[in-house]
Amino acid sequence: MATERGRYYRDPAGGPDLISVTNALDVIGKPALVPWSAGLVADHVIAAPIPTARRARVEPSRLRRELVALPTGNADRAKDLGTRVHERAVALVLNAPYPADPEVEPYAIELARWFRLWRVDFDRDIEAIETTVVHRKYGYAGTGDLWVWLPTGPFRRRQLWLIDYKTSAKKPATTVYHEQPLQLAALRHAPVWLLPDDSDGEALRVRRTGLLNLRPRSHRLIEVPSGRKQFRAFLGAVNTARYLHNAPSAYPTILPDWAPGSPDRKAA
Protein backbone atom coordinates (compact mmCIF):
# COMPACT_ATOMS: atom_id res chain seq x y z
CA MET A 1 0.00 0.00 0.00
CA ALA A 2 1.19 3.52 -0.79
CA THR A 3 1.72 5.88 2.15
CA GLU A 4 3.22 9.34 2.55
CA ARG A 5 6.37 7.51 3.69
CA GLY A 6 6.55 5.28 0.65
CA ARG A 7 5.26 1.79 0.07
CA TYR A 8 4.43 -0.54 2.96
CA TYR A 9 2.90 -4.02 3.07
CA ARG A 10 -0.03 -4.82 5.32
CA ASP A 11 0.73 -8.01 7.23
CA PRO A 12 -2.10 -10.55 6.74
CA ALA A 13 -1.20 -11.97 10.16
CA GLY A 14 -2.22 -8.68 11.75
CA GLY A 15 1.18 -7.40 12.83
CA PRO A 16 2.72 -3.99 12.18
CA ASP A 17 2.95 -2.77 8.60
CA LEU A 18 6.12 -3.94 6.83
CA ILE A 19 8.33 -1.57 4.88
CA SER A 20 8.85 -2.62 1.29
CA VAL A 21 12.33 -3.62 0.19
CA THR A 22 12.49 -0.92 -2.48
CA ASN A 23 11.20 1.72 -0.06
CA ALA A 24 14.00 0.87 2.38
CA LEU A 25 16.59 1.05 -0.40
CA ASP A 26 15.41 4.51 -1.43
CA VAL A 27 17.57 5.93 1.38
CA ILE A 28 20.68 4.91 -0.57
CA GLY A 29 22.04 7.72 -2.73
CA LYS A 30 21.87 7.15 -6.49
CA PRO A 31 24.51 9.46 -8.00
CA ALA A 32 23.78 8.30 -11.54
CA LEU A 33 20.36 9.97 -11.34
CA VAL A 34 21.84 13.48 -11.35
CA PRO A 35 23.65 13.30 -14.74
CA TRP A 36 20.74 11.25 -16.14
CA SER A 37 18.24 13.96 -15.16
CA ALA A 38 20.48 16.73 -16.47
CA GLY A 39 20.93 14.84 -19.74
CA LEU A 40 17.16 14.54 -20.26
CA VAL A 41 16.69 18.27 -19.86
CA ALA A 42 19.70 19.05 -22.07
CA ASP A 43 18.44 16.73 -24.83
CA HIS A 44 15.01 18.35 -24.69
CA VAL A 45 16.47 21.84 -25.07
CA ILE A 46 18.91 20.83 -27.82
CA ALA A 47 16.12 19.15 -29.79
CA ALA A 48 14.13 22.40 -29.98
CA PRO A 49 16.46 25.33 -29.18
CA ILE A 50 14.49 28.09 -30.94
CA PRO A 51 11.03 27.24 -29.52
CA THR A 52 12.60 26.75 -26.09
CA ALA A 53 14.35 30.14 -26.25
CA ARG A 54 11.10 31.78 -27.35
CA ARG A 55 9.20 30.20 -24.46
CA ALA A 56 11.96 31.25 -22.05
CA ARG A 57 11.10 34.87 -22.89
CA VAL A 58 7.32 34.52 -23.09
CA GLU A 59 6.45 31.97 -20.37
CA PRO A 60 9.59 31.25 -18.30
CA SER A 61 7.74 29.94 -15.22
CA ARG A 62 5.72 27.38 -17.17
CA LEU A 63 8.78 26.28 -19.15
CA ARG A 64 10.77 25.83 -15.97
CA ARG A 65 8.03 23.66 -14.43
CA GLU A 66 7.96 21.45 -17.52
CA LEU A 67 11.73 21.06 -17.62
CA VAL A 68 11.90 20.24 -13.91
CA ALA A 69 9.16 17.62 -14.37
CA LEU A 70 10.87 15.88 -17.29
CA PRO A 71 12.99 13.40 -15.24
CA THR A 72 10.06 12.44 -13.00
CA GLY A 73 7.75 11.90 -15.96
CA ASN A 74 10.34 9.81 -17.76
CA ALA A 75 10.99 7.73 -14.62
CA ASP A 76 7.25 7.14 -14.18
CA ARG A 77 6.97 5.91 -17.76
CA ALA A 78 9.92 3.57 -17.23
CA LYS A 79 8.30 2.17 -14.07
CA ASP A 80 5.04 1.65 -15.91
CA LEU A 81 6.86 -0.21 -18.68
CA GLY A 82 8.63 -2.37 -16.09
CA THR A 83 5.29 -3.23 -14.48
CA ARG A 84 3.80 -4.24 -17.82
CA VAL A 85 6.84 -6.38 -18.66
CA HIS A 86 6.49 -8.16 -15.30
CA GLU A 87 2.81 -8.81 -16.02
CA ARG A 88 3.72 -10.15 -19.44
CA ALA A 89 6.34 -12.43 -17.84
CA VAL A 90 3.68 -13.93 -15.57
CA ALA A 91 1.38 -14.50 -18.54
CA LEU A 92 4.24 -16.15 -20.44
CA VAL A 93 4.98 -18.62 -17.64
CA LEU A 94 1.29 -19.40 -17.04
CA ASN A 95 0.53 -19.55 -20.77
CA ALA A 96 -2.24 -17.05 -20.11
CA PRO A 97 -3.69 -14.52 -22.58
CA TYR A 98 -2.24 -11.04 -22.55
CA PRO A 99 -3.48 -7.94 -24.38
CA ALA A 100 -1.41 -6.75 -27.31
CA ASP A 101 1.30 -4.32 -26.18
CA PRO A 102 3.85 -3.50 -28.90
CA GLU A 103 6.12 -1.70 -26.44
CA VAL A 104 6.33 -4.76 -24.17
CA GLU A 105 6.60 -7.46 -26.82
CA PRO A 106 10.36 -7.08 -27.57
CA TYR A 107 11.14 -7.69 -23.89
CA ALA A 108 8.82 -10.70 -23.82
CA ILE A 109 10.60 -12.13 -26.85
CA GLU A 110 13.96 -11.80 -25.11
CA LEU A 111 12.58 -13.42 -21.95
CA ALA A 112 11.21 -16.32 -23.99
CA ARG A 113 14.63 -16.69 -25.64
CA TRP A 114 16.25 -16.85 -22.24
CA PHE A 115 13.87 -19.58 -21.09
CA ARG A 116 14.64 -21.57 -24.25
CA LEU A 117 18.41 -21.05 -23.88
CA TRP A 118 18.32 -22.57 -20.38
CA ARG A 119 15.78 -25.23 -21.42
CA VAL A 120 13.46 -24.20 -18.62
CA ASP A 121 10.43 -26.44 -18.21
CA PHE A 122 7.80 -24.25 -16.60
CA ASP A 123 6.11 -27.13 -14.75
CA ARG A 124 9.31 -28.81 -13.59
CA ASP A 125 11.76 -25.97 -13.01
CA ILE A 126 9.79 -22.95 -11.80
CA GLU A 127 8.99 -22.89 -8.09
CA ALA A 128 7.36 -19.46 -7.82
CA ILE A 129 6.70 -16.22 -9.70
CA GLU A 130 5.76 -12.77 -8.39
CA THR A 131 5.71 -14.00 -4.79
CA THR A 132 5.74 -11.81 -1.69
CA VAL A 133 8.23 -12.70 1.04
CA VAL A 134 8.13 -11.47 4.64
CA HIS A 135 10.69 -11.03 7.40
CA ARG A 136 8.69 -10.02 10.47
CA LYS A 137 11.72 -9.98 12.76
CA TYR A 138 13.22 -7.11 10.77
CA GLY A 139 9.92 -5.59 9.66
CA TYR A 140 10.11 -5.75 5.88
CA ALA A 141 8.49 -7.46 2.91
CA GLY A 142 9.08 -7.58 -0.82
CA THR A 143 8.03 -9.33 -4.00
CA GLY A 144 10.40 -11.54 -5.95
CA ASP A 145 10.08 -12.13 -9.68
CA LEU A 146 11.23 -15.69 -10.31
CA TRP A 147 12.44 -18.73 -8.36
CA VAL A 148 13.78 -21.22 -10.90
CA TRP A 149 15.98 -24.31 -10.97
CA LEU A 150 18.91 -24.03 -13.38
CA PRO A 151 21.61 -26.65 -14.17
CA THR A 152 24.48 -24.53 -12.84
CA GLY A 153 25.92 -26.87 -10.21
CA PRO A 154 28.70 -29.44 -10.63
CA PHE A 155 27.86 -31.99 -13.33
CA ARG A 156 24.89 -29.77 -14.30
CA ARG A 157 23.19 -30.37 -11.00
CA ARG A 158 20.17 -28.12 -10.61
CA GLN A 159 20.39 -25.15 -8.24
CA LEU A 160 17.59 -22.87 -7.10
CA TRP A 161 18.01 -19.31 -8.32
CA LEU A 162 16.16 -16.18 -7.30
CA ILE A 163 16.07 -13.87 -10.31
CA ASP A 164 14.93 -10.27 -10.61
CA TYR A 165 13.92 -8.86 -13.99
CA LYS A 166 15.37 -5.46 -14.89
CA THR A 167 14.17 -3.63 -17.99
CA SER A 168 15.62 -0.67 -19.84
CA ALA A 169 15.38 0.68 -23.37
CA LYS A 170 18.84 2.27 -23.43
CA LYS A 171 21.06 1.00 -20.60
CA PRO A 172 23.60 -1.70 -21.52
CA ALA A 173 22.57 -5.25 -20.69
CA THR A 174 25.57 -5.46 -18.35
CA THR A 175 24.26 -2.69 -16.06
CA VAL A 176 24.23 -3.41 -12.31
CA TYR A 177 23.55 -0.81 -9.63
CA HIS A 178 25.08 -1.04 -6.17
CA GLU A 179 21.74 -1.40 -4.35
CA GLN A 180 20.54 -4.35 -6.45
CA PRO A 181 22.55 -7.04 -4.61
CA LEU A 182 21.02 -5.69 -1.38
CA GLN A 183 17.54 -6.04 -2.87
CA LEU A 184 18.15 -9.68 -3.76
CA ALA A 185 19.72 -10.33 -0.35
CA ALA A 186 16.58 -9.02 1.35
CA LEU A 187 14.35 -11.32 -0.72
CA ARG A 188 16.68 -14.29 -0.36
CA HIS A 189 16.93 -14.12 3.43
CA ALA A 190 13.24 -13.62 4.16
CA PRO A 191 12.03 -16.84 5.82
CA VAL A 192 8.34 -16.66 4.87
CA TRP A 193 6.44 -16.78 1.60
CA LEU A 194 2.90 -15.43 1.49
CA LEU A 195 0.76 -18.06 -0.20
CA PRO A 196 -2.19 -17.16 -2.46
CA ASP A 197 -4.60 -17.36 0.50
CA ASP A 198 -2.33 -15.00 2.52
CA SER A 199 -1.21 -17.78 4.84
CA ASP A 200 2.48 -18.32 5.61
CA GLY A 201 4.67 -20.79 3.81
CA GLU A 202 8.30 -21.63 4.48
CA ALA A 203 10.49 -20.03 1.84
CA LEU A 204 12.77 -22.38 -0.06
CA ARG A 205 16.51 -22.09 0.38
CA VAL A 206 17.96 -20.15 -2.54
CA ARG A 207 21.39 -21.17 -3.78
CA ARG A 208 22.22 -18.29 -6.15
CA THR A 209 20.78 -14.92 -7.15
CA GLY A 210 20.93 -12.88 -10.31
CA LEU A 211 19.58 -10.06 -12.42
CA LEU A 212 17.98 -10.87 -15.75
CA ASN A 213 18.53 -7.66 -17.70
CA LEU A 214 15.97 -7.51 -20.49
CA ARG A 215 16.53 -5.17 -23.41
CA PRO A 216 14.53 -4.76 -26.63
CA ARG A 217 17.13 -6.74 -28.61
CA SER A 218 19.18 -8.59 -26.01
CA HIS A 219 19.25 -10.09 -22.53
CA ARG A 220 21.87 -10.96 -19.96
CA LEU A 221 21.74 -13.03 -16.76
CA ILE A 222 24.20 -11.56 -14.26
CA GLU A 223 24.91 -13.28 -10.96
CA VAL A 224 25.19 -10.87 -8.03
CA PRO A 225 26.15 -11.58 -4.40
CA SER A 226 23.39 -11.74 -1.81
CA GLY A 227 25.10 -13.20 1.26
CA ARG A 228 25.30 -12.09 4.86
CA LYS A 229 27.42 -9.05 3.98
CA GLN A 230 24.78 -7.72 1.59
CA PHE A 231 21.97 -8.64 3.98
CA ARG A 232 23.56 -6.69 6.83
CA ALA A 233 23.91 -3.69 4.54
CA PHE A 234 20.24 -3.97 3.63
CA LEU A 235 19.24 -4.07 7.31
CA GLY A 236 21.21 -0.86 7.78
CA ALA A 237 19.04 0.71 5.07
CA VAL A 238 15.89 -0.55 6.82
CA ASN A 239 16.97 1.04 10.10
CA THR A 240 17.84 4.31 8.38
CA ALA A 241 14.54 4.42 6.47
CA ARG A 242 12.54 3.64 9.62
CA TYR A 243 14.33 6.43 11.51
CA LEU A 244 13.73 8.94 8.72
CA HIS A 245 10.08 7.97 8.34
CA ASN A 246 9.45 8.46 12.07
CA ALA A 247 11.68 11.49 12.66
CA PRO A 248 9.97 14.77 13.56
CA SER A 249 9.62 17.32 10.78
CA ALA A 250 10.65 20.25 13.01
CA TYR A 251 12.77 20.86 16.08
CA PRO A 252 12.65 23.65 18.69
CA THR A 253 14.79 26.76 18.38
CA ILE A 254 16.98 27.46 21.41
CA LEU A 255 17.42 31.06 22.56
CA PRO A 256 19.03 32.61 25.64
CA ASP A 257 16.46 33.60 28.21
CA TRP A 258 17.16 37.31 27.63
CA ALA A 259 16.53 37.21 23.87
CA PRO A 260 13.25 38.45 22.38
CA GLY A 261 10.93 35.54 21.79
CA SER A 262 12.50 33.30 24.43
CA PRO A 263 9.83 31.40 26.38
CA ASP A 264 11.96 31.88 29.52
CA ARG A 265 12.21 35.64 29.17
CA LYS A 266 10.38 37.42 31.98
CA ALA A 267 8.14 40.33 31.18
CA ALA A 268 9.83 43.63 31.94
Side-chain angles (χ1 to χ4, degrees):
M1 61 181 179
T3 74
E4 60 182 12
R5 302 170 299 161
R7 188 182 180 198
Y8 278 73
Y9 285 80
R10 185 150 304 201
D11 189 347
D17 290 342
L18 306 163
I19 189 171
S20 78
V21 170
T22 52
N23 188 6
L25 292 174
D26 281 344
V27 302
I28 297 177
K30 299 175 176 63
L33 288 180
V34 175
W36 173 78
S37 299
L40 281 178
V41 176
D43 290 343
H44 181 83
V45 173
I46 292 170
I50 296 176
T52 302
R54 185 179 300 117
R55 291 189 61 197
R57 294 193 302 270
V58 176
E59 48 180 5
S61 298
R62 182 177 178 182
L63 175 62
R64 185 181 187 280
R65 287 195 301 270
E66 292 178 6
L67 293 177
V68 168
L70 271 176
T72 300
N74 196 75
D76 289 343
R77 287 191 294 273
K79 288 179 182 178
D80 177 68
L81 174 60
T83 298
R84 284 150 49 211
V85 170
H86 280 67
E87 292 170 352
R88 181 69 176 87
V90 171
L92 177 63
V93 172
L94 298 180
N95 195 27
Y98 185 84
D101 191 335
E103 191 177 12
V104 167
E105 199 58 26
Y107 299 92
I109 291 172
E110 290 301 322
L111 178 58
R113 286 176 177 166
W114 182 81
F115 281 131
R116 289 196 300 271
L117 174 67
W118 285 92
R119 300 176 181 174
V120 173
D121 182 301
F122 293 163
D123 295 327
R124 179 195 65 199
D125 298 327
I126 294 181
E127 288 286 352
I129 54 174
E130 292 295 324
T131 299
T132 298
V133 296
V134 172
H135 205 315
R136 295 188 177 94
K137 178 180 178 181
Y138 295 115
Y140 75 84
T143 300
D145 294 338
L146 176 68
W147 282 259
V148 60
W149 294 92
L150 298 178
T152 51
F155 307 105
R156 297 186 182 178
R157 187 179 64 197
R158 297 197 313 158
Q159 296 177 316
L160 184 61
W161 282 72
L162 169 58
I163 291 175
D164 195 67
Y165 305 134
K166 298 297 183 185
T167 59
S168 176
K170 296 182 178 179
K171 295 171 188 170
T174 54
T175 301
V176 177
Y177 292 113
H178 54 253
E179 75 275 6
Q180 290 170 340
L182 277 60
Q183 177 187 4
L184 282 165
L187 299 173
R188 176 183 185 176
H189 291 279
V192 171
W193 278 349
L194 289 185
L195 302 178
D197 63 356
D198 281 340
S199 63
D200 287 1
E202 184 178 356
L204 293 180
R205 183 179 179 183
V206 170
R207 183 75 174 181
R208 299 167 76 170
T209 54
L211 305 172
L212 181 50
N213 286 338
L214 297 172
R215 303 296 184 259
R217 295 182 179 84
S218 65
H219 64 263
R220 185 74 64 90
L221 176 61
I222 300 175
E223 184 172 12
V224 297
S226 58
R228 289 292 173 184
K229 180 179 180 181
Q230 288 75 29
F231 186 53
R232 286 194 297 270
F234 169 74
L235 293 181
V238 170
N239 291 333
T240 301
R242 187 175 290 118
Y243 167 78
L244 293 175
H245 292 171
N246 295 317
S249 58
Y251 295 89
T253 299
I254 303 300
L255 295 171
D257 58 9
W258 58 83
S262 171
D264 297 328
R265 186 182 185 192
K266 297 180 180 178

